[in-house]
């Protein structure tokens, strides 16, 4: 874990921890000097450890906001691959039981674009004596949007942004997932390029750790600078703040968004300085509305934003190909009986 990514895991703190002083490297374990909360960047589980008598740890995958994320084999269910993710950083058994009970609603979420939650388990760390909680999730193979974006480079090594039509397609899938959560009175809170994976032919949201009920005024709020809506710190998350994160993600994917975590943390650059904005004005207008500082001026729902983003996608493809891509009328078109697997089917003849 690089020192620059080490922060206190306490929700109301977040101070830098484990940093070098002079020539002495930063500690990987210790206590936050600001709030006194313990921290550890040493994996708690090792290959071969058995969690809950069922999940055999294969190794570490990554480090998240609440600790290490592990790949494991479910020995009780056909040796399927699963992911174990830390749920809460606490040694208090009563607090752990309450946290697990509170998060069980996540296991009821089923959607093609959302990672499946299988179980919530407790594990007693034999080395430290701490009781740790883990979310057991579906293992999703593939690359995150961050990895896909970072892999694109120009011949001189600079970042090559994603084609705007590809980013729009990702955004539409993400909005379908968010819309499903919103329909269940849930908020995702932390959509960003790190938290979505392209697997086979679909996008999946993979990190459910920040999901909360829309009427929850007590639990910790998780978000990411540069993606989180500006009002969240004062008024809390909402459907509008979820849609804001999608707009910010689309911006990060489609141009070299320098300063999006500081200078432009709550705004977009001048459209005259961004080529993709000059070329596709409708795309720029969509981002402006999605990231409006006033939540009331943003899209009213994920469905509305997805419909508008689909319209932008059709316009982009039309400009690139020189052929119109009209959508079927939902009021006067023929009755739909078979789902079309192509977003833009080949056109026959001229379009008037």
């Amino acid at each position: 874990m690089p020192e620059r990514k080490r922060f206190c895991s306490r929700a109301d703190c977040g101070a830098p921890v484990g940093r070098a002083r002079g020539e002495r490297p930063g500690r990987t374990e210790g206590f936050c000097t600001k709030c006194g909360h313990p921290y550890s960047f040493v994996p708690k589980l090792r290959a071969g450890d058995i969690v809950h008598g069922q999940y055999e740890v294969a190794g570490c995958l990554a480090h998240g906001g609440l600790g290490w994320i592990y790949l494991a084999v479910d020995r009780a269910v056909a040796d399927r691959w699963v992911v174990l993710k830390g749920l809460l950083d606490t040694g208090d058994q009563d607090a752990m039981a309450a946290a697990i009970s509170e998060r069980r609603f996540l296991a009821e979420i089923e959607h093609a674009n959302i990672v499946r939650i299988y179980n919530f388990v407790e594990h007693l760390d034999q080395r430290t004596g701490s009781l740790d909680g883990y979310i057991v999730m579906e293992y999703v193979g593939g690359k995150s949007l961050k990895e896909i974006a970072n892999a694109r480079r120009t011949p001189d090594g600079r970042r090559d942004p994603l084609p705007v039509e590809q980013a729009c397609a990702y955004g539409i899938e993400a909005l379908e997932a968010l819309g499903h959560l919103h329909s269940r009175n849930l908020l995702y809170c932390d959509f960003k390029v790190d938290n979505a994976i392209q697997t086979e032919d679909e996008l999946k949201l993979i990190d459910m750790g920040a999901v909360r009920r829309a009427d929850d005024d007590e639990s910790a709020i998780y978000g990411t600078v540069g993606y989180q809506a500006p009002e969240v710190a004062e008024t809390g998350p909402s459907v509008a703040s979820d849609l804001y994160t999608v707009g910010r993600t689309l911006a990060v994917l489609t141009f070299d968004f320098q300063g999006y975590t500081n200078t432009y943390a709550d705004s977009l650059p001048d459209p005259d300085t961004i080529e993709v904005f000059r070329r596709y004005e409708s795309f720029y207008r969509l981002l402006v509305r999605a990231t409006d500082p006033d939540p009331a001026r943003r899209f009213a729902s994920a469905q509305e934003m997805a419909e508008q983003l689909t319209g932008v996608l059709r316009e982009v493809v039309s400009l690139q190909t020189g052929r119109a891509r009209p959508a079927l009328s939902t009021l006067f078109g023929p009755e739909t009986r078979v789902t079309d697997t192509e977003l833009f089917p080949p056109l026959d003849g001229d379009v008037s």
Side-chain angles (χ1 to χ4, degrees):
M1 166 63 69
E3 290 187 10
R4 61 185 174 82
K5 294 186 177 182
R6 298 177 186 176
F7 296 93
C8 177
S9 62
R10 186 170 170 175
D12 59 355
C13 180
V17 296
R19 303 304 173 92
R21 293 186 178 181
E23 297 182 356
R24 189 180 70 181
R27 297 170 179 260
T28 54
E29 294 184 289
F31 296 87
C32 175
T33 57
K34 182 179 179 181
C35 71
H37 189 67
Y39 68 83
S40 175
F41 298 100
V42 177
K44 293 186 176 182
L45 300 177
R46 300 175 182 174
D49 283 356
I50 305 296
V51 175
H52 199 61
Q54 180 175 350
Y55 307 105
E56 182 177 343
V57 177
C60 297
L61 286 175
H63 190 280
L66 293 178
W68 289 93
I69 300 170
Y70 306 89
L71 180 65
V73 178
D74 187 345
R75 295 303 186 193
V77 183
D79 287 347
R80 65 182 176 185
W81 290 105
V82 297
V83 170
L84 304 180
K85 181 178 180 182
L87 177 64
L88 191 68
D89 186 10
T90 179
D92 186 325
Q93 187 170 359
D94 291 337
M96 178 61 61
I100 289 178
S101 176
E102 175 66 19
R103 306 299 289 175
R104 288 196 185 280
F105 69 87
L106 293 176
E108 301 174 1
I109 300 172
E110 292 190 35
H111 190 275
N113 299 113
I114 300 176
V115 67
R116 188 81 170 89
I117 305 296
Y118 294 135
N119 202 357
F120 295 84
V121 299
E122 297 173 335
H123 177 70
L124 181 64
D125 190 324
Q126 299 295 331
R127 290 177 286 275
T128 66
S130 67
L131 186 66
D132 304 315
Y134 295 93
I135 302 177
V136 184
M137 302 182 292
E138 166 192 12
Y139 171 68
V140 178
K143 292 184 177 181
S144 69
L145 294 188
K146 182 176 182 178
E147 291 173 318
I148 292 172
N150 287 342
R152 293 178 57 88
R153 297 287 168 177
T154 61
D156 60 358
R158 292 181 299 171
R159 182 177 166 236
D160 182 21
L162 262 64
V164 68
E165 66 273 19
Q166 183 178 353
C168 287
Y170 287 145
I172 291 167
E173 288 194 275
L175 287 165
E176 290 178 358
L178 294 182
H180 178 74
L181 292 176
H182 297 165
S183 72
R184 300 177 68 90
N185 199 38
L186 300 174
L187 302 172
Y188 187 74
C189 298
D190 197 23
F191 182 71
K192 56 184 177 180
V193 292
D194 312 64
N195 287 348
I197 280 185
Q198 174 68 32
T199 173
E200 297 179 352
D201 60 348
E202 64 186 4
L203 190 76
K204 277 186 180 284
L205 305 190
I206 59 168
D207 191 340
M208 304 295 284
V211 174
R212 57 191 277 133
R213 293 185 175 89
D215 55 1
D216 181 356
D217 297 324
E218 299 181 358
S219 62
I221 299 172
Y222 295 95
T224 303
V225 174
Y227 294 91
Q228 188 178 74
E231 75 277 2
V232 170
E234 292 187 6
T235 62
S238 63
V239 168
S241 66
D242 262 3
L243 303 184
Y244 182 99
T245 63
V246 178
R248 296 291 291 184
T249 299
L250 289 172
V252 169
L253 289 173
T254 52
F255 64 94
D256 192 11
F257 198 170
Q258 297 292 328
Y260 77 94
T261 62
N262 40 66
T263 305
Y264 298 107
D266 299 325
S267 61
L268 295 171
D270 186 326
D272 292 337
T273 66
I274 305 298
E275 181 182 357
V276 71
F277 289 168
R278 296 196 305 267
R279 183 180 300 175
Y280 306 115
E281 183 183 354
S282 62
F283 179 64
Y284 171 67
R285 292 201 306 269
L286 180 134
L287 294 191
V288 167
R289 182 175 177 189
T291 62
D292 194 293
D294 181 357
R297 293 170 60 88
R298 298 176 200 151
F299 294 101
S301 67
Q303 180 181 355
E304 181 188 12
M305 184 172 173
E307 290 172 352
Q308 294 297 315
L309 188 55
T310 301
V312 170
L313 176 53
R314 290 183 179 277
E315 181 176 322
V316 168
V317 174
S318 295
L319 289 172
Q320 292 176 346
T321 62
R323 304 188 69 180
R325 300 287 181 172
L328 291 176
S329 169
T330 58
L331 295 177
F332 305 109
E335 180 181 358
T336 303
R337 297 183 180 277
V338 179
T339 301
D340 195 338
T341 58
E342 294 184 88
L343 181 58
F344 300 118
L347 299 176
D348 296 325
D350 296 329
V351 176
S352 57

